[in-house]
Amino acid sequence: MTSSTTYADARTATLNAARDLYGADSAEHRAVGAAWRAVGVN
């Protein structure tokens, strides 16, 4: 990420990282998605 990274870009990057590390159906991936939804970034 860079100084011009948007919240949407950060959401995508962290979701991709969680998917790559733990799998798309993992609790970790779901938790990252839930955290972004909780702060209004969809």
Side-chain angles (χ1 to χ4, degrees), residues 15-33:
L15 281 168
N16 287 343
R19 184 197 64 224
D20 292 348
L21 290 170
Y22 302 105
D25 294 325
S26 67
E28 292 83 358
H29 187 262
R30 288 190 299 275
V32 171

Side-chain angles (χ1 to χ4, degrees), residues 2-41:
T2 66
S3 61
S4 63
T5 300
T6 65
Y7 287 115
D9 294 338
R11 175 188 177 274
T12 299
T14 55
L15 281 168
N16 287 343
R19 184 197 64 224
D20 292 348
L21 290 170
Y22 302 105
D25 294 325
S26 67
E28 292 83 358
H29 187 262
R30 288 190 299 275
V32 171
W36 282 113
R37 282 190 302 279
V39 296
V41 180

